[in-house]
Amino acid sequence: MAQPVSESVTIIDVAQLAGVSKSTAARALAGYGSVSSKARQAVEAAADTLGYQANALARSMITGKTTTVGVVIPDISNPFFANAVRGISTAAREAGYDVLLSSTEGELGLERRAVSVLAGKRADGVIVAPVSNEDTAHLEELEAKGIAVTLLDRPAPNVTSASYVAVDHVGASELAVQHLLDLGHRNIGIVTEATALLPEQIHPEVAASLRPATARLLGYAMALRGAGIRYDPALVASSSYSRHSAGDAVRYLLKSKPSITALYCTDAEMSAGAFAALQDMGIDCPGHLSLVGFDDQDWATLVRPRLTVVEQPSYQLGRTAFKELTASMLTPNERRRNRILGGRLVVRESTARSRSA
């Protein structure tokens, strides 16, 4: 029967009970080097009997690994990141890793501090959704120290050895807008954090370097172009990341462009703000105006009409990010890659055929 964990029990005690040398016991418990199956079983049984708890710091000094990974995200309260972290944590637990989590509130200074702390704790790798895709010197320093980096949701081109895991933001937007086009809508507005695109930016080759909001705006523009419809910057309602701001942007857009028959919102916060604004304005959805949101959240099925959305595979993105991180840790000299997952259109009640179709 296992005894309670005791700090007085040493590796020497375990070795003596198992009838092996101290070095064999250390290798068996740390999971490195050559140890016979019989010796490993004896050591594990002895450790269990004595209630031995390995010293993580001592083990890391021997193996050079801490079996910990860091996760640095802008906002843990955001359901997208919460689900992604759940995917990371599950995959890490299955692989025998512990996760150190930091939420930076979208502040670059807090991200730098979190990365510095993780480097000091000798994390084997870091998954990060960077605040900036240009100010990334702190992430490049991780590379220089031999700490693997995987980028989640947001690119950082200067972090050259890092894998990039994200949803296909451009393709997901094209799904949303194509759905509206198929319903006969031609005057389609968009609510986004991004500013209106320049003509030369409307090209698929620029997508890999764009932040999610801008990439989704690009998908909107490309879907319209594919239908032979000119991209009109006047149909772009730029908003800060808040429901209140999105609601104000929708009110202004619909008053300035009353011919709009459909709206596409590129974020869950934008979608919630737009939905509330339509209700406040007494606009029948989808009878008078169809609405498509981005990212599926619980509230989208609780309201009436239920919201048509583009769903992100956030949990799977987290699992994939951890898989890419461990690949980087095992083969640090191998060229990393982009892992882009597809979005999925979930059609509900907030979209209908255009009255003018």
Side-chain angles (χ1 to χ4, degrees):
M1 181 177 178
Q3 300 298 314
V5 172
S6 171
E7 294 182 359
S8 63
V9 177
T10 68
I11 190 71
I12 296 174
D13 299 322
V14 174
Q16 288 177 343
L17 182 60
V20 299
S21 68
K22 175 184 174 183
S23 60
T24 297
R27 289 198 303 274
L29 292 173
Y32 75 96
S34 176
V35 180
S36 70
S37 176
K38 181 179 179 180
R40 189 182 304 278
Q41 291 175 5
V43 169
E44 290 174 351
D48 186 55
T49 299
L50 295 173
Y52 173 76
Q53 186 175 50
N55 184 309
L57 178 59
R59 182 174 59 200
S60 70
M61 291 176 68
I62 295 171
T63 64
K65 302 294 181 183
T66 61
T67 62
T68 61
V69 296
V71 179
V72 183
I73 56 172
D75 184 4
I76 191 59
S77 68
N78 182 312
F80 167 78
F81 286 116
N83 280 329
V85 168
R86 189 167 60 89
I88 293 168
S89 298
T90 301
R93 184 169 58 251
E94 292 170 353
Y97 281 81
D98 293 314
V99 174
L100 303 175
L101 175 64
S102 181
S103 181
T104 66
E105 313 305 324
E107 294 185 18
L108 184 58
L110 291 179
E111 179 178 287
R112 289 195 188 104
R113 180 178 178 182
V115 166
S116 176
V117 169
L118 290 169
K121 291 184 178 295
R122 300 179 65 185
D124 296 330
V126 176
I127 297 171
V128 58
V131 171
S132 170
N133 61 349
E134 296 178 351
D135 196 341
T136 55
H138 53 298
L139 301 179
E140 296 164 50
E141 289 175 8
L142 286 180
E143 289 185 297
K145 293 176 180 178
I147 298 175
V149 179
T150 291
L151 304 168
L152 174 65
D153 188 53
R154 302 172 179 187
N158 292 332
V159 190
T160 55
S161 69
S163 292
Y164 170 49
V165 178
V167 73
D168 179 1
H169 296 292
V170 174
S173 274
E174 289 180 309
L175 282 176
V177 178
Q178 188 60 53
H179 172 63
L180 294 171
L181 291 168
D182 291 343
L183 291 173
H185 296 279
R186 292 299 178 267
N187 293 310
I188 303 171
I190 182 170
V191 187
T192 174
E193 278 189 275
T195 55
L197 295 168
L198 299 173
E200 60 269 22
Q201 291 178 298
I202 305 176
H203 196 285
E205 290 184 1
V206 306
S209 62
L210 297 177
R211 304 283 285 179
T214 307
R216 293 169 194 171
L217 178 56
L218 173 62
Y220 160 87
M222 291 181 61
L224 294 179
R225 175 184 284 180
I229 299 172
R230 182 179 64 87
Y231 168 76
D232 183 359
L235 296 179
V236 179
S238 295
S239 165
S240 62
Y241 184 74
S242 78
R243 297 184 183 188
H244 179 76
S245 178
D248 288 343
V250 167
R251 293 182 187 92
Y252 178 81
L253 179 63
L254 295 182
K255 288 178 181 177
S256 62
K257 291 287 184 179
S259 60
I260 288 175
T261 63
L263 272 180
Y264 165 50
C265 303
T266 63
D267 186 271
E269 282 292 292
M270 308 290 165
S271 304
F275 190 94
L278 295 183
Q279 289 188 322
D280 292 344
M281 297 170 74
I283 294 177
D284 177 23
C285 176
H288 182 75
L289 188 143
S290 289
L291 179 66
V292 177
F294 199 97
D295 215 359
D296 199 11
Q297 297 187 2
D298 289 343
W299 70 265
T301 59
L302 299 177
V303 297
R304 296 295 181 275
R306 298 177 181 89
L307 189 66
T308 294
V309 297
V310 176
E311 181 186 59
Q312 293 192 88
S314 50
Y315 177 81
Q316 191 58 41
L317 283 169
R319 291 189 65 93
T320 303
F322 180 79
K323 180 179 178 180
E324 287 300 312
L325 186 70
T326 53
S328 297
M329 292 188 294
L330 292 172
T331 55
N333 297 322
E334 190 173 295
R335 182 177 176 82
R336 302 274 61 88
R337 58 184 177 174
N338 294 344
R339 292 293 303 275
I340 308 300
L341 279 60
R344 184 173 73 97
L345 181 69
V346 181
V347 179
R348 298 193 180 109
E349 302 154 0
S350 65
T351 52
R353 285 196 63 79
S354 169
R355 293 174 301 162
S356 59

